Amino acid sequence: MENIGVFIPIIALMIPIVAIWTKHQQKLAEMNVKTTAQATAEKAAQYASKVHDLEDRVRVLERIVTDKGYDVATQIEALRDQRTVEGADSGVPLSIKTGEKA
């Protein structure tokens, strides 16, 4: 029975320590939740900004296609043809000057 008398004051002193430790753990958990929420909100804002930029670019492309119609396809093909000619190295100059003899 004498052993129980020693443990009663130790248990009485441990109760406030456990309460303080529990409160501290709760505050750490709350801070972790807040930090995670802030990081998530920042990422969501960044994604929303990127989506907005992409939507603006798509609107511009739609405007270009609808304003110029099928002429865009012709211009793209002309650029492809020009790239093919510029890429070929035949050794013959492409610029022809009028009024001069070769």
Side-chain angles (χ1 to χ4, degrees):
M1 282 307 240
E2 292 180 19
N3 291 337
I4 294 176
V6 173
F7 287 116
I8 292 175
I10 293 174
I11 292 173
L13 292 174
M14 291 295 292
I15 291 173
I17 293 172
V18 170
I20 292 170
W21 181 80
T22 305
K23 257 189 185 173
H24 178 69
Q25 292 298 320
Q26 183 180 4
K27 285 183 182 180
L28 287 176
E30 288 174 3
M31 288 172 47
N32 191 16
V33 168
K34 286 180 184 177
T35 303
T36 304
Q38 288 174 348
T40 303
E42 288 175 11
K43 286 210 181 240
Q46 289 174 352
Y47 288 137
S49 174
K50 287 180 183 180
V51 167
H52 180 69
D53 292 344
L54 288 173
E55 287 174 346
D56 287 344
R57 291 176 72 181
V58 168
R59 278 191 206 101
V60 169
L61 291 173
E62 287 174 343
R63 199 172 330 126
I64 289 170
V65 170
T66 56
D67 287 350
K68 294 186 178 180
Y70 294 105
D71 189 38
V72 172
T74 307
Q75 291 175 359
I76 291 172
E77 289 302 320
L79 289 172
R80 284 186 183 149
D81 292 342
Q82 186 178 19
R83 204 177 300 149
T84 305
V85 171
E86 289 174 359
D89 188 17
S90 62
V92 178
L94 294 177
S95 61
I96 301 173
K97 297 182 181 178
T98 56
E100 293 183 10
K101 293 183 180 178

